[in-house]
Amino acid sequence: YRRIGDSDQAILNYKKAYNTHQRIERLESSGWASINLADLYRNIKKWENAKRWYKKAALIGETAGEKTIQAWALNGLGDIYSDRQGWARALPFYLQAFSLRKQESDHSLVNSICNKLGYTYQKLTLFEDALDYYRMALELYKEDNNTQGIVWQHKTIAKLY
């Protein structure tokens, strides 16, 4: 339903999935169902509903010891504020997500949050902080021998200067 643009049916089915996971006590799955709902609400700009579901997912992630779910939800909360140019309000959520993600072996997730932090600091005119996170992402791209990421990151850094 989400792909064909029927948000109402998508919401209904995501809620059914969430409720089923809750009933059978599958916390990790209910956390992802919450994130799916939050993402959908964010895409249709129902900000308060999105916040509610991201917060629910973050709590589930914390309770279940699922740092990936918790980080994803915190990142989503930051995105809600970033979408509306609320850089100062986005920052603490991105920082919390970063603190959970920085240990992950999947550098693409770490790079994503580094770039969001860099961009947020840039928008707050805290350019040295922005450079720190952009450079951190660059080093991860280098570790992964990701030529496309290296080039993109150099362009991002150059634009800041």
Side-chain angles (χ1 to χ4, degrees):
Y1 286 111
R2 190 171 180 176
R3 287 198 177 148
I4 62 173
D6 191 340
S7 298
D8 292 335
Q9 282 299 315
I11 289 167
L12 178 68
N13 282 282
Y14 279 139
K15 284 183 177 178
K16 285 180 181 179
Y18 171 81
N19 289 332
T20 301
H21 292 309
Q22 285 287 298
R23 192 174 63 253
I24 61 174
E25 298 181 10
R26 291 193 59 199
L27 276 181
E28 181 180 353
S29 297
S30 62
W32 288 115
S34 298
I35 287 170
N36 286 332
L37 272 161
D39 286 346
L40 179 58
Y41 279 124
R42 183 175 151 238
N43 288 339
I44 62 175
K45 299 181 181 0
K46 291 193 175 183
W47 309 113
E48 293 307 313
N49 289 337
K51 279 195 271 188
R52 185 174 64 247
W53 284 99
Y54 280 133
K55 286 177 182 178
K56 192 175 286 201
L59 181 60
I60 290 169
E62 184 177 20
T63 302
E66 293 289 338
K67 289 183 179 182
T68 301
I69 292 172
Q70 189 179 5
W72 200 285
L74 291 165
N75 183 67
L77 286 162
D79 287 347
I80 288 171
Y81 293 108
S82 181
D83 288 348
R84 299 180 294 163
Q85 288 81 45
W87 313 114
R89 294 193 71 190
L91 185 61
F93 292 110
Y94 287 153
L95 287 168
Q96 289 175 60
F98 175 75
S99 73
L100 293 167
R101 285 224 164 123
K102 66 183 175 184
Q103 304 301 322
E104 292 194 24
S105 59
D106 183 350
H107 288 168
S108 66
L109 297 174
V110 183
N111 281 339
S112 173
I113 196 65
C114 282
N115 278 299
K116 286 182 182 190
L117 279 162
Y119 188 74
T120 301
Y121 279 121
Q122 185 176 337
K123 288 297 194 177
L124 293 169
T125 66
L126 298 168
F127 300 117
E128 289 302 317
D129 292 322
L131 278 171
D132 288 343
Y133 283 98
Y134 287 149
R135 287 179 180 140
M136 195 179 310
L138 176 61
E139 291 308 311
L140 293 172
Y141 284 128
K142 287 178 180 178
E143 281 180 31
D144 292 343
N145 293 316
N146 181 335
T147 305
Q148 185 177 3
I150 293 168
V151 170
W152 185 85
Q153 204 63 42
H154 277 300
K155 287 180 183 178
T156 301
I157 291 169
K159 288 177 187 175
L160 190 59
Y161 286 108

